[in-house]
C-alpha cells in the first residue's frame, strides 16, 4: 500500500497553477491545504488555496510545507527527502507481484529502508520518517520508523521482511533479515484484526452509499486475514498465496458476491481466534534486540 497524505495537510505547489485560458492563478510556491486525498498514488489530491480556489495536484507537484520551508531556509535547492534516497540499505518488492496476484497492468511496488548519516540526523534538516515516490511506486522508511512499525506488527512492514523478492540488501539489512522473527508476536492478532474490521466497515459503507466496492481492496483484506492466521500458526509471514490464489483473483474480478466474501471473512475471523488461543508466539516482540540493532546501525553512520 502507498502512504497517502491525509486531509488537512498543508502543502506547497511545485508548479504554477493556471486557469483554463493559461493565465497564472498561483505561482509555484503557493500554499494550500489538502481537502481530499486519493485512495491510491495514481490519482490526484484536491488542494484548496486561501481564496477558496481548488485544484487537482499529483504528489510530484506538491511538497509538504515543513519540508519545503526547511530546504528554502537552509539555502539549498536539494530537499532533505531527495538526499535520503542515497542512503537506501534495503529494497524489496511487495504487493500483488509478491503475493502471486498480479495482472498485466500491476505496478511493481517497492518498499525498503534508508539509514542516513548521523550528521543529517543532527543537522537543521533532520530526516523525514519516510520517503515516497508515487511515480515509481516506491516507499522507504527511515530505520527507526521501520523498526517501530515492525514491533507494532504493521502488515506492510512485516511483509517487507519476509518477501522473497529482495532487490538489494547491504550487510546491515541482511543482519536485520536474519533476525526478523523477533518482530513476530501476538500483537499480529490485534493489528491485523483491527485493520480488517475497520476496512470492512468502510467497504460496507461504500456498498450502501454507492452500490459498489473496491474489489481489489476486498481481496487484499481476505488475504491479510489468511496471512495473520499463518503467522500465528507457523511463526512466519507468508507472501505468495498459493492455494487461495484462484479464489482471491475471483474476488478481484468481482465474480464473488459480497455475501460470500463476508461469509468467508467471518469464518477466517473464527480461525484467527482459534490460532490466537493456540499460538506459541510471545505476547510481545523483542524490543531490546531491536533497540540494540538500531544503536549499532546508528553508530555505523557516525
Amino acid at each position: 500500500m502507498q502512504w497517502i497524505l491525509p486531509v488537512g495537510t498543508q502543502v506547497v505547489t511545485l508548479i504554477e497553477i493556471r486557469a483554463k485560458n493559461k493565465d497564472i492563478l498561483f505561482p509555484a510556491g503557493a500554499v494550500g491545504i489538502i481537502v481530499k486525498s486519493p485512495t491510491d498514488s495514481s490519482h490526484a489530491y484536491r488542494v484548496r488555496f486561501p481564496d477558496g480556489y481548488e485544484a487537482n495536484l499529483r504528489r510530484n507537484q506538491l511538497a509538504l510545507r515543513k519540508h519545503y520551508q526547511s530546504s528554502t531556509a537552509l539555502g539549498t535547492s536539494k530537499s532533505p527527502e531527495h538526499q535520503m534516497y542515497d542512503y537506501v540499505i534495503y529494497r524489496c518488492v511487495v504487493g500483488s507481484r509478491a503475493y502471486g496476484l498480479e495482472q498485466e497492468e500491476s505496478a511493481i511496488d517497492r518498499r525498503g529502508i534508508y539509514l542516513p548519516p548521523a550528521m543529517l540526523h543532527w543537522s537543521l534538516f533532520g530526516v523525514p520518517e519516510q520517503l515516497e515516490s508515487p511515480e515509481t511506486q516506491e516507499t522507504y522508511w527511515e530505520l527507526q520508523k521501520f523498526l517501530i512499525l515492525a514491533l507494532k506488527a504493521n502488515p506492510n512492514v512485516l511483509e517487507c521482511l519476509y518477501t522473497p523478492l529482495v532487490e538489494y540488501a547491504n550487510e546491515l539489512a541482511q543482519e536485520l533479515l536474519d533476525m526478523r522473527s523477533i518482530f513476530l508476536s501476538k500483537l499480529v492478532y490485534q493489528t491485523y484484526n483491527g485493520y480488517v474490521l475497520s476496512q470492512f466497515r468502510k467497504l460496507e459503507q461504500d456498498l450502501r452509499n454507492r452500490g459498489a466496492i473496491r474489489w481489489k481492496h476486498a481481496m487484499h483484506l481476505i488475504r491479510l486475514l489468511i496471512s495473520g492466521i499463518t503467522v500465528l500458526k507457523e511463526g512466519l509471514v507468508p507472501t505468495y498465496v498459493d492455494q487461495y490464489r484462484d479464489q482471491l483473483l475471483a474476488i478481484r474480478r468481482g465474480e464473488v458476491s459480497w455475501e460470500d466474501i463476508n461469509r468467508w471473512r467471518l469464518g477466517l475471523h473464527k480461525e484467527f481466534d482459534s490460532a490466537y488461543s493456540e499460538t506459541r508466539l510471545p505476547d510481545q516482540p523483542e524490543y531490546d534486540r531491536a533497540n540494540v540493532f538500531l544503536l549499532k546501525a546508528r553508530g555505523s553512520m557516525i
Side-chain angles (χ1 to χ4, degrees), residues 5 17 101 125 140 145 174 197 199 240 281:
L5 299 178
I17 306 301
L101 297 170
F125 276 126
Y140 299 96
K145 180 66 173 182
Q174 188 58 55
L197 288 171
Q199 292 301 306
Y240 193 74
L281 289 181

Side-chain angles (χ1 to χ4, degrees), residues 18 41 58 68 89 91 103 119 132 176 261 269 291:
R18 294 177 178 268
S41 59
R58 294 190 177 275
Y68 183 87
I89 64 171
R91 183 174 63 251
Q103 298 180 333
M119 292 300 290
E132 289 182 87
L176 180 61
I261 294 173
H269 276 302
N291 189 54

Side-chain angles (χ1 to χ4, degrees), residues 188-194 196 224-233 266-278:
V188 166
Y189 176 76
Q190 286 84 19
T191 304
Y192 283 43
N193 252 330
V196 171
L224 191 61
L225 280 177
I226 294 170
S227 176
I229 292 167
T230 304
V231 174
L232 295 184
K233 286 184 174 181
L266 294 174
L268 288 172
H269 276 302
K270 290 182 179 179
E271 191 175 347
F272 210 173
D273 294 342
S274 177
Y276 178 68
S277 66
E278 298 172 1

Side-chain angles (χ1 to χ4, degrees), residues 89-90 113 168-178 293:
I89 64 171
Y90 180 62
I113 306 168
Y168 172 71
N170 74 358
E171 188 175 336
L172 264 174
Q174 188 58 55
E175 183 178 339
L176 180 61
L177 292 177
D178 292 341
F293 175 80

Side-chain angles (χ1 to χ4, degrees), residues 107-293:
I108 299 177
D109 297 316
R110 290 183 171 91
R111 301 289 183 271
I113 306 168
Y114 68 98
L115 178 62
M119 292 300 290
L120 286 179
H121 267 289
W122 298 336
S123 72
L124 286 174
F125 276 126
V127 296
E129 290 187 333
Q130 69 186 48
L131 309 174
E132 289 182 87
S133 177
E135 298 77 20
T136 57
Q137 298 289 306
E138 294 178 84
T139 298
Y140 299 96
W141 293 277
E142 195 277 323
L143 178 61
Q144 181 178 349
K145 180 66 173 182
F146 183 92
L147 295 177
I148 289 173
L149 290 172
L151 290 166
K152 292 180 178 179
N154 179 284
N156 295 315
V157 168
L158 291 183
E159 286 168 2
C160 283
L161 293 171
Y162 280 84
T163 177
L165 305 181
V166 175
E167 294 186 334
Y168 172 71
N170 74 358
E171 188 175 336
L172 264 174
Q174 188 58 55
E175 183 178 339
L176 180 61
L177 292 177
D178 292 341
M179 58 186 281
R180 60 192 178 183
S181 62
I182 72 169
F183 300 103
L184 301 185
S185 72
K186 291 181 180 179
L187 290 180
V188 166
Y189 176 76
Q190 286 84 19
T191 304
Y192 283 43
N193 252 330
Y195 181 75
V196 171
L197 288 171
S198 65
Q199 292 301 306
F200 255 88
R201 280 198 296 271
K202 291 181 180 179
L203 289 178
E204 288 171 341
Q205 289 174 356
D206 288 342
L207 192 61
R208 288 194 300 269
N209 298 335
R210 300 190 291 125
I213 65 169
R214 290 178 291 151
W215 298 106
K216 180 180 176 181
H217 191 44
M219 174 193 72
H220 281 303
L221 291 175
I222 294 293
R223 182 201 58 79
L224 191 61
L225 280 177
I226 294 170
S227 176
I229 292 167
T230 304
V231 174
L232 295 184
K233 286 184 174 181
E234 301 180 18
L236 57 86
V237 181
T239 51
Y240 193 74
V241 294
D242 198 16
Q243 69 189 87
Y244 301 102
R245 185 174 185 274
D246 291 343
Q247 294 166 274
L248 290 170
L249 287 175
I251 293 177
R252 180 174 186 159
R253 293 190 297 265
E255 298 172 357
V256 182
S257 70
W258 173 253
E259 291 74 16
D260 286 341
I261 294 173
N262 206 36
R263 191 177 299 113
W264 191 6
R265 174 184 71 90
L266 294 174
L268 288 172
H269 276 302
K270 290 182 179 179
E271 191 175 347
F272 210 173
D273 294 342
S274 177
Y276 178 68
S277 66
E278 298 172 1
T279 186
R280 295 183 180 181
L281 289 181
D283 291 338
Q284 302 289 334
E286 297 185 46
Y287 296 105
D288 289 341
R289 286 188 63 188
N291 189 54
V292 168
F293 175 80

